[in-house]
């Protein structure tokens, strides 16, 4: 009853958006598609929600083929598109009521399922959807996607444009929904959210780079990651890129994440090199890799 | 069915919450009918004219008085020489000049004919020809008065009677025409906009990934506009009857039913437009340019189809409005029934079925 994707490809005119992608989401799993903008996440979502037909390959959602049984899928999935797509001139309650009605159910019938989410916006239920904040819009959209008790929930970049607190709350809600036997496929460009999924697929330029649990993916990273700091960020970056033993260099918050080509790496040697380049307050320390590091490493190839 | 009703209710919310579309829906019909009825008119009423009387005798005095006395003309001024004629026209405050020749009465009595020159400002040809007709007929009736009791060998005086619109009130022609424009525009434009708006805002994406069938979405979009357009048709007929004292010669119920048929034709056109375009802007442009112009120019609303060049006459047959105007005029002015209008009605039904079939074929069940 999960999702099965086999060798799916899709091109727009001459641009290949999705290239030969295969993966499987197990029933009840919270599965993340992690990748930057333009990686093909939305195209994949649209193929799985029967909005687009793939050029090649097959896919099944909740046991139904996405092309032949598209009508059955449209009865049994919930879909929250990347862009806020509810009726702005309808109030919260009217939107929710509308989606309940067209799916042949009512708010009361499935209230327990959306209670968690809906309770937070219910005090504003007579406010028009167009006048809501980003976080509230997102909660309303999730309520609307859930109101018919879908078997599979598709969330395309649900947290884009949402404040950090709401993002955190949102992921907690997803975790609780998962307990109610709903399979969830969620996409996000934020690497920190990836760690909250059961399994993730790293996707870039229409191809899957790696599939595994977030912990396992991090462990696969062969290199040690160093946090490097200097007062002049730009000077530090160019200096590190010029360093002959540098393997990868990319900015990470206020630090630069650095990996070295050699097995035996002496941080003092690098520190001296950097100080010779007139950089001040240089500090180098070993750090725990996270999914972003893995992503950067994989996407180098 | 419950799903469908839920969808229709949502459509009503959209319409009643959007001030602009409400205004187009109900403001436009009233404004247009009043504009066409009062301002834009071909009628001759108190037209200012000038008289150049070079004869100044009994007959010319009598004719002048007769013209001035009619409700159609007001003599604004008297000219003294032919040189002043052109100047008078250039000033622009008169529409016609009546020029009596010298010694008019003398010629009339001795030779049996006198000449009167009627000059009209033909920058507006329709009014000009109407003015000449009116003046000629006033002069003719004066002539008949004079000849009473006098034996003449042959005399032909045609009696012209305008049937169906005896007073030549142009507003009676405009009411069916405006009704056609309004129903066409409101129905086609509003549906095509409301469907493309769902595409533009991305809500179509969610509607597609729902159990609603394409048929339910389309019919759900159309139902509210059938009701609203019917109200519109009623407002227009009501204004025609009350404000312009227009008599409805035929059966009101038949008129109502034919209007519903035409509303559905227009809605089907609107749906067809929306299946072909992606944005509200293009939908509106196509509805306005692609529908309004043919409706005004090729439907016989303003320009008679019979006086168009042959190719345009052929093209006018594919304009649904042409058939509805024929029907509406037939019922309102002539009072004829379905027995005379079955052909036009069948053509409209045929067009509607064609548009709907084409839209359902073109309606996409997916995004591309």
């Amino acid at each position: 009853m999960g999702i099965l994707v086999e060798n799916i490809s899709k091109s727009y005119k001459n641009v290949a958006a999705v290239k030969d992608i295969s993966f499987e989401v197990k029933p009840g799993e919270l599965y993340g598609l992690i990748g930057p903008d333009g990686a093909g996440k939305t195209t994949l979502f649209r193929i799985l929600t029967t909005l687009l037909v793939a050029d090649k390959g097959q896919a099944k959602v909740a046991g139904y083929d996405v092309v032949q049984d598209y009508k059955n899928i449209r009865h049994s999935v919930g879909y929250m598109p990347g862009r806020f797509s509810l009726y702005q001139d309808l109030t919260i309650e009217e939107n929710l009521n509308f989606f309940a009605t067209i799916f042949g159910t009512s708010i009361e019938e499935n209230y327990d399922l959306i209670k968690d989410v809906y309770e937070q916006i219910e005090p504003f239920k007579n406010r028009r959807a167009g006048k809501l904040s980003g976080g509230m819009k997102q909660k309303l959209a999730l309520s609307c996607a859930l109101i018919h008790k879908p078997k599979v929930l598709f969330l395309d970049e649900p947290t884009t444009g949402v404040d950090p607190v709401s993002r955190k709350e949102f992921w907690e809600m997803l975790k609780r929904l998962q307990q109610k036997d709903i399979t969830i496929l969620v996409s996000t460009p934020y690497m920190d959210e990836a760690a909250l999924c059961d399994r993730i697929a790293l996707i870039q330029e229409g191809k899957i780079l790696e599939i595994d649990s977030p912990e396992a993916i991090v462990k696969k990273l062969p290199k040690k990651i160093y946090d490097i700091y200097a007062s002049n960020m730009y000077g530090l970056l160019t200096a590190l890129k010029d360093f002959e033993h540098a393997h990868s260099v990319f900015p990470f918050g206020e630090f630069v994440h650095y990996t070295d080509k050699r097995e035996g790496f002496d941080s003092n040697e690098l520190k001296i090199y950097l100080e010779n380049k007139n950089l001040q307050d240089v500090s180098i320390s070993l750090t725990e890799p996270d999914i972003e590091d893995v992503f950067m490493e994989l996407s180098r190839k | 069915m419950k799903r469908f009703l839920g969808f229709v209710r949502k459509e009503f919310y959209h319409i009643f919450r959007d001030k602009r579309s409400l205004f187009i829906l109900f403001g436009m019909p009233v404004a247009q009918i009043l504009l066409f009825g009062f301002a834009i008119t071909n009628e001759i009423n108190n037209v200012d004219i000038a008289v150049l009387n070079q004869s100044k005798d009994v007959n010319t005095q009598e004719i002048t008085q007769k013209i001035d006395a009619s409700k159609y003309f007001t003599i604004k001024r008297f000219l003294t020489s032919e040189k002043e004629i052109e100047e008078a026209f250039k000033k622009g405050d008169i529409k016609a000049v009546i020029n009596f020749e010298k010694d008019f009465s003398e010629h009339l009595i001795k030779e049996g004919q006198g000449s009167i020159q009627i000059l009209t400002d033909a920058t507006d040809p329709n009014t000009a020809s109407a003015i000449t007709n009116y003046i000629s007929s006033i002069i003719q009736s004066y002539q008949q008065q004079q000849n009473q009791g006098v034996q003449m060998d042959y005399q032909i005086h045609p009696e012209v009677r305008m049937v169906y619109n005896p007073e030549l009130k142009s507003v009676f022609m405009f009411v069916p025409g405006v009704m056609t424009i309004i129903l066409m525009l409101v129905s086609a434009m509003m549906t095509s906009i409301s469907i493309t708006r769902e595409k533009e805002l991305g809500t179509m994406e969610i509607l597609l990934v729902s159990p609603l069938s394409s048929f339910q979405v389309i019919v759900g979009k159309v139902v509210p506009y059938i009701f609203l357009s019917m109200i519109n048709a009623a407002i227009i007929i009501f204004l025609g009857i009350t404000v312009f004292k227009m008599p409805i010669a035929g059966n009101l119920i038949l008129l109502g039913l034919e209007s519903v048929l035409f509303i559905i034709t227009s809605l089907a056109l609107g749906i067809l437009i929306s299946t072909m375009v992606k944005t509200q802007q293009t939908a509106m442009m196509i509805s306005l340019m692609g529908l309004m112009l043919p409706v005004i120019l090729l439907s016989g609303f303003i320009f008679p189809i019979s006086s168009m060049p042959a190719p345009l006459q052929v093209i006018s047959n594919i304009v649904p409005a042409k058939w509805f105007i024929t029907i509406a005029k037939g019922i309102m002015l002539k009072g004829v029934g379905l027995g005379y209008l079955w052909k036009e009605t069948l053509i409209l039904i045929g067009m509607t079925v064609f548009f709907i079939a084409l839209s359902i074929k073109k309606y996409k069940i997916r995004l591309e």
Side-chain angles (χ1 to χ4, degrees):
Chain A
M1 291 300 267
I3 303 167
L4 185 65
V5 179
E6 284 174 329
N7 308 103
I8 287 280
S9 295
K10 173 80 189 172
S11 306
Y12 299 104
K13 287 182 184 141
N14 296 320
V15 186
V18 173
K19 299 168 195 160
D20 199 26
I21 279 187
S22 303
F23 64 90
E24 190 190 346
V25 181
K26 293 183 191 124
E29 202 171 14
L30 174 55
Y31 197 97
L33 275 181
I34 318 295
D37 291 344
K41 301 187 299 279
T42 299
T43 305
L44 197 56
F45 268 88
R46 288 182 167 168
I47 290 170
L48 293 177
T49 51
T50 76
L51 287 169
L52 291 177
V53 177
D55 301 336
K56 267 186 249 149
Q58 288 182 337
K60 281 189 171 177
V61 172
Y64 302 113
D65 185 274
V66 288
V67 180
Q68 275 137 37
D69 307 324
Y70 76 93
K71 280 190 178 156
N72 288 324
I73 293 181
R74 289 178 182 190
H75 273 93
S76 42
V77 304
Y79 174 42
M80 185 172 152
R83 197 157 57 115
F84 178 71
S85 305
L86 299 175
Y87 296 102
Q88 318 244 356
D89 52 343
L90 264 55
T91 64
I92 289 184
E93 200 179 19
E94 284 161 353
N95 265 301
L96 194 58
N97 232 323
F98 171 70
F99 285 101
T101 321
I102 64 170
F103 279 95
T105 178
S106 65
I107 298 182
E108 296 74 36
E109 206 172 312
N110 289 319
Y111 189 77
D112 60 310
L113 192 64
I114 59 158
K115 185 169 174 268
D116 224 18
V117 195
Y118 188 58
E119 258 177 357
Q120 302 178 36
I121 50 173
E122 212 171 2
F124 313 100
K125 64 183 181 183
N126 291 323
R127 193 180 289 186
R128 303 245 169 117
K131 298 220 162 81
L132 299 176
S133 69
M136 282 162 82
K137 279 183 179 170
Q138 169 221 40
K139 280 166 197 153
L140 174 59
L142 182 63
S143 305
C144 291
L146 276 174
I147 190 64
H148 59 288
K149 204 171 193 321
K151 291 176 185 139
V152 182
L153 188 59
F154 291 95
L155 307 169
D156 190 5
E157 300 201 2
T159 53
T160 301
V162 172
D163 65 275
V165 177
S166 298
R167 269 170 62 184
K168 193 164 165 286
E169 282 176 9
F170 190 79
W171 278 88
E172 283 162 9
M173 284 186 288
L174 290 190
K175 283 281 182 191
R176 283 196 292 270
L177 282 176
Q178 205 191 345
Q179 311 302 316
K180 293 174 181 167
D181 283 334
I182 297 175
T183 310
I184 303 173
L185 180 65
V186 57
S187 76
T188 177
Y190 302 121
M191 304 292 167
D192 55 330
E193 292 180 345
L196 302 166
C197 299
D198 294 335
R199 279 198 301 159
I200 53 173
L202 299 181
I203 173 170
Q204 192 187 33
E205 286 172 0
K207 280 186 192 149
I208 288 189
L209 304 172
E210 187 72 64
I211 298 177
D212 216 324
S213 69
E215 304 79 36
I217 277 193
V218 171
K219 278 185 191 140
K220 280 181 189 167
L221 193 73
K223 299 275 178 194
K224 286 184 172 149
I225 306 278
Y226 292 90
D227 265 346
I228 302 183
Y229 179 82
S231 54
N232 177 356
M233 179 65 136
Y234 179 72
L236 178 64
L237 269 173
T238 38
L240 281 171
K241 277 178 184 160
D242 291 341
F243 189 57
E244 55 176 331
H245 302 296
H247 175 71
S248 73
V249 177
F250 65 92
F252 194 94
E254 54 180 332
F255 297 103
V256 171
H257 272 193
Y258 172 84
T259 55
D260 200 86
K261 278 180 190 160
R262 300 160 297 179
E263 281 295 315
F265 167 66
D266 181 7
S267 60
N268 279 328
E269 181 200 344
L270 181 62
K271 191 169 181 176
I272 294 161
Y273 164 80
L274 289 174
E275 275 162 358
N276 284 339
K277 291 263 178 185
N278 289 327
L279 289 160
Q280 276 131 35
D281 305 332
V282 175
S283 73
I284 301 176
S285 58
L286 193 65
T287 182
E288 284 293 307
D290 73 1
I291 290 159
E292 191 164 348
D293 297 304
V294 181
F295 196 90
M296 295 309 280
E297 176 63 25
L298 288 170
S299 60
R300 281 167 54 87
K301 290 166 190 166
Chain B
M1 197 60 198
K2 231 184 123 191
R3 291 176 183 176
F4 176 70
L5 289 179
F7 190 83
V8 171
R9 188 177 57 211
K10 176 201 75 123
E11 287 307 312
F12 273 113
Y13 285 145
H14 287 325
I15 296 166
F16 288 124
R17 287 184 187 172
D18 183 6
K19 297 268 168 355
R20 258 186 322 172
S21 62
L22 258 191
F23 176 76
I24 294 178
L25 215 48
F26 293 112
M28 205 167 70
V30 176
Q32 283 219 15
I33 196 92
L34 294 179
L35 262 181
F36 275 111
F38 283 122
I40 308 167
T41 165
N42 288 336
E43 283 167 44
I44 304 297
N45 224 338
N46 284 327
V47 173
D48 288 329
I49 58 169
V51 170
L52 170 58
N53 195 343
Q54 306 185 49
S55 173
K56 299 223 165 77
D57 50 40
V58 187
N59 295 94
T60 56
Q61 294 280 357
E62 279 175 1
I63 292 175
T64 312
Q65 270 165 24
K66 207 171 157 67
I67 290 173
D68 202 16
S70 82
K71 63 170 181 171
Y72 305 114
F73 300 104
T74 310
I75 294 175
K76 182 136 192 194
R77 110 176 75 115
F78 290 91
L79 309 176
T80 48
S81 78
E82 285 189 7
K83 283 178 204 147
E84 290 174 37
I85 294 178
E86 194 168 349
E87 210 174 305
F89 275 125
K90 276 186 181 160
K91 269 179 102 176
D93 55 349
I94 53 152
K95 291 271 179 226
V97 173
I98 297 171
N99 183 5
F100 294 98
E101 64 168 345
K102 259 186 191 148
D103 309 321
F104 179 84
S105 291
E106 225 177 291
H107 287 153
L108 196 64
I109 293 159
K110 284 185 183 160
E111 294 156 31
Q113 60 179 21
S115 300
I116 305 172
Q117 188 184 31
I118 303 166
L119 297 119
T120 47
D121 177 357
T123 44
D124 179 0
N126 286 335
T127 320
S129 73
I131 290 172
T132 8
N133 285 338
Y134 277 66
I135 295 178
S136 314
S137 75
I138 293 174
I139 295 170
Q140 220 159 42
S141 82
Y142 174 76
Q143 191 182 350
Q144 278 162 29
Q145 275 174 18
Q146 295 297 304
N147 289 344
Q148 260 168 14
V150 180
Q151 197 64 357
M152 293 197 68
D153 291 346
Y154 299 102
Q155 202 175 29
I156 301 167
H157 47 101
E159 191 189 49
V160 181
R161 216 186 103 217
M162 302 287 185
V163 281
Y164 306 132
N165 183 4
E167 291 170 77
L168 285 178
K169 284 218 166 171
S170 53
V171 65
F172 292 177
M173 308 299 296
F174 282 128
V175 169
V178 170
M179 186 159 137
T180 312
I181 291 193
I182 300 284
L183 293 186
M184 184 76 169
L185 268 191
V186 166
S187 312
M189 194 163 80
M190 302 301 268
T191 37
S192 62
I193 288 181
S194 96
I195 294 179
T196 44
R197 183 167 59 191
E198 302 250 7
K199 289 190 192 178
E200 232 174 74
L201 295 179
T203 45
M204 193 53 110
E205 219 171 311
I206 309 192
L207 287 185
L208 285 174
V209 191
S210 81
L212 281 178
S213 68
S214 49
F215 184 75
Q216 281 173 319
V217 172
I218 287 183
V219 177
K221 284 275 172 198
V222 158
V223 165
Y225 288 105
I226 292 184
F227 277 111
L228 297 172
S229 299
M230 276 164 70
I231 295 175
N232 257 331
I235 292 178
I236 295 170
I237 295 173
F238 176 78
L239 280 178
I241 295 174
T242 54
V243 180
F244 299 108
K245 309 274 177 278
M246 177 170 176
I248 304 284
N251 188 337
L252 256 179
I253 295 170
L254 179 65
L255 184 61
L257 289 177
E258 294 278 6
S259 306
V260 173
L261 171 62
F262 182 63
I263 290 168
I264 296 173
T265 316
S266 314
L267 291 171
L269 249 179
I271 294 166
L272 187 61
I273 292 173
S274 67
T275 58
M276 295 188 291
V277 304
K278 283 202 170 128
T279 63
Q280 296 181 65
Q281 200 94 37
T282 14
M284 194 151 103
M285 286 305 285
I286 291 184
S287 316
L288 276 178
M289 303 294 284
L291 297 181
M292 187 132 156
L293 283 181
V295 169
I296 292 180
L297 300 178
L298 291 176
S299 66
F301 166 35
I302 292 178
F303 307 108
I305 291 171
S306 54
S307 54
M308 287 175 193
L312 285 185
Q313 290 197 27
V314 175
I315 293 172
S316 75
N317 286 326
I318 60 165
V319 179
K322 171 195 162 167
W323 304 104
F324 181 68
I325 285 195
T326 315
I327 293 172
K329 280 184 182 168
I331 299 174
M332 286 179 173
L333 303 172
K334 296 188 201 167
V336 294
L338 203 56
Y340 285 89
L341 300 169
W342 62 271
K343 197 182 84 181
E344 285 80 3
T345 311
L346 273 186
I347 291 174
L348 275 186
I349 293 176
M351 286 178 162
T352 313
V353 171
F354 174 74
F355 291 144
I356 292 179
L358 201 60
S359 324
I360 290 181
K361 198 168 161 265
K362 292 207 111 186
Y363 184 85
K364 295 174 188 78
I365 55 162
R366 299 178 204 276
L367 271 187
E368 30 177 48

